[in-house]
Amino acid sequence: MSGNDMKGSIFSGDTKFARFMNKLFDVLYTGLLWFGFSIPIITIGAAMSAGYYTMVKCVRHRTGYIFREFWGCFKRNFKQSLPMTIFFLLAAAVIAVDIRYLWMNENKANDSMFIVMLLVAFVLLGVLTYVFPLLSRFDQRNMQLLKMAFLEMFRHLPLTIGLLLLDVAAVVVVYVMPWTIFIIPGAYLFVFSFPVEKILRKLMPPVEEGSEEAEKWYYQ
């Protein structure tokens, strides 16, 4: 079966149904890895980077083995992702407390601050949307990655809004139907990877056709 480290597939053969079921299994498997490695909370950034990388490389481009690629990317990016993850977690906590306070204490003076805090939250979530996929693809320092994420967030603002709505939809579905926690992570990553991959491809340097670099999976 393409994209994972199992010797055989429970859906053997080359029928459309077998290919669909193999792909579905790979999507769910990658999502469960992402969810499982995110449980310690401070590992969310590294898990997101690894989940995106694995979904695009193994599931969509059918290159490599799912767990091997996920674990390799997770280890490579854990140290670099850790300070960014802690920053985002702390910033999100502060913003959430401020928004709740302003919401519970309504007055004219607080109205403008409430709007400001909502805008700050939007920027934070927008940057968060792009920064870890960028980490999975580009060898840059954290400040450069954050700058790239900030620019791409506003350069593709309608898409950013759509991706944030996708986040909300995923959270709502899991909240209403908790059993979907085994399905939503993989489905989310799979859908998320299509528009984001187009952005990452545009940021990659051009290569000569037929060169060794052009043959790598992320240029295919």
Side-chain angles (χ1 to χ4, degrees):
M1 177 167 58
S2 64
N4 65 50
D5 50 355
M6 300 179 71
K7 292 297 184 181
S9 170
I10 56 176
F11 303 102
S12 59
D14 194 33
T15 64
K16 289 184 178 180
F17 177 75
R19 290 195 297 271
F20 170 78
M21 293 305 296
N22 288 336
K23 176 78 74 174
L24 179 61
F25 180 85
D26 290 349
V27 167
L28 297 179
Y29 181 31
T30 303
L32 289 175
L33 286 174
W34 175 43
F35 175 72
F37 277 75
S38 297
I39 289 176
I41 306 300
I42 61 170
T43 60
I44 288 177
M48 181 62 191
S49 178
Y52 177 84
Y53 176 85
T54 305
M55 186 63 72
V56 177
K57 181 177 182 179
C58 298
V59 180
R60 291 182 50 196
H61 288 275
R62 303 172 66 87
T63 302
Y65 298 99
I66 286 180
F67 185 80
R68 185 184 303 170
E69 298 295 344
F70 186 99
W71 177 239
C73 184
F74 183 89
K75 288 193 299 181
R76 283 195 306 273
N77 294 325
F78 176 75
K79 185 176 180 180
Q80 184 175 356
S81 69
L82 186 59
M84 285 197 294
T85 302
I86 293 174
F87 165 76
F88 280 113
L89 288 173
L90 292 177
V94 171
I95 291 171
V97 170
D98 287 345
I99 289 176
R100 185 176 186 278
Y101 173 81
L102 293 170
W103 177 264
M104 299 295 293
N105 296 271
E106 295 184 33
N107 59 58
K108 291 184 178 180
N110 285 341
D111 288 346
S112 58
M113 280 301 301
F114 183 76
I115 294 174
V116 169
M117 293 308 299
L118 287 179
L119 291 174
V120 171
F122 174 76
V123 172
L124 182 75
L125 293 173
V127 171
L128 183 61
T129 296
Y130 294 102
V131 72
F132 293 114
L134 286 167
L135 174 61
S136 75
R137 182 67 52 83
F138 300 103
D139 185 16
Q140 299 285 348
R141 294 181 180 275
N142 283 350
M143 288 305 299
Q144 183 62 26
L145 290 172
L146 290 169
K147 179 181 177 181
M148 291 171 65
F150 181 81
L151 292 175
E152 295 309 311
M153 169 196 170
F154 285 104
R155 187 173 294 155
H156 305 280
L157 189 57
L159 175 60
T160 300
I161 295 172
L163 291 174
L164 292 181
L165 290 176
L166 180 64
D167 294 341
V168 172
V171 171
V172 169
V173 171
V174 172
Y175 178 78
V176 174
M177 297 180 289
W179 59 269
T180 60
I181 193 63
F182 300 107
I183 299 173
I184 292 300
Y188 169 86
L189 266 182
F190 185 73
V191 174
F192 173 85
S193 71
F194 281 90
V196 175
E197 185 62 15
K198 290 182 180 179
I199 294 174
L200 267 58
R201 288 288 297 272
K202 293 178 181 178
L203 296 174
M204 293 163 60
V207 294
E208 294 184 9
E209 186 175 350
S211 66
E212 183 178 346
E213 184 68 14
E215 297 302 316
K216 293 185 177 179
W217 63 269
Y218 42 75
Y219 277 106
Q220 302 303 311

